[in-house]
Amino acid sequence: MGGNAWTQTGPYQLDLAAAFRQAQEASLAEDDHGFGGRTVEELWCDPDWHEYVFTGGTCTVLDFPQMIDPTDRSDGPFMRPLTDTEVRAWSPSGQPTYEEWNEALDTGRLDFPDRAQGNCTVLYHDGRPTLIGYWGVTAD
């Protein structure tokens, strides 16, 4: 089986790891996937959650326990911000808009990561950071 590709956005914060955690908590509040009353940290300590994520996934930021450094190339399941060089490969200004990010994913100028991996990048509007774009592929 192959994984399912997905995209989502979340609010911008200077601390990308904090923004990632905020996006996870928002996703969990929207749909707890039958694991109600738990935090993201608690879910990732539960073997039943592991089974759920690794055999189907949520197609959201909830599929990853943590964010890693942009230069870390460890196998998933991790969320990894793009490096500046990676961003400039499809957004020469280094300040991609939502529309530019979406179009780059649609046309293949920006690749989806391998199974059980996610990427993210800051998205801009009028030269100001406003969102974080997340995209990934489920483990299943």
Side-chain angles (χ1 to χ4, degrees):
M1 292 189 72
N4 295 313
W6 57 268
T7 64
Q8 102 181 60
T9 60
Y12 170 76
Q13 288 189 43
L14 184 59
D15 180 339
L16 295 183
F20 171 62
R21 192 60 74 201
Q22 181 182 4
Q24 286 184 307
E25 293 297 341
S27 288
L28 187 60
E30 187 175 303
D31 184 352
D32 66 19
H33 301 274
F35 290 83
R38 300 181 206 173
T39 66
V40 173
E41 293 84 4
E42 290 169 335
L43 288 175
W44 279 103
C45 292
D46 183 343
D48 290 336
W49 178 255
H50 296 183
E51 179 73 14
Y52 182 78
V53 167
F54 297 137
T55 60
T58 68
C59 290
T60 73
V61 293
L62 292 172
D63 290 345
F64 309 100
Q66 65 186 20
M67 180 176 282
I68 59 175
D69 186 82
T71 60
D72 188 337
R73 299 299 181 171
S74 299
D75 287 336
F78 300 114
M79 179 61 64
R80 185 184 69 81
L82 295 185
T83 65
D84 185 58
T85 301
E86 289 173 312
V87 171
R88 287 181 183 278
W90 55 275
S91 176
S93 73
Q95 295 186 347
T97 64
Y98 172 85
E99 293 78 16
E100 189 177 16
W101 169 69
N102 197 44
E103 188 267 337
L105 286 167
D106 284 346
T107 62
R109 287 188 306 121
L110 178 59
D111 292 329
F112 279 84
D114 292 334
R115 287 174 47 191
Q117 295 180 22
N119 292 128
C120 65
T121 194
V122 176
L123 302 175
Y124 295 77
H125 181 75
D126 292 333
R128 295 180 43 222
T130 56
L131 294 171
I132 299 179
Y134 300 97
W135 67 104
V137 178
T138 59
D140 64 327

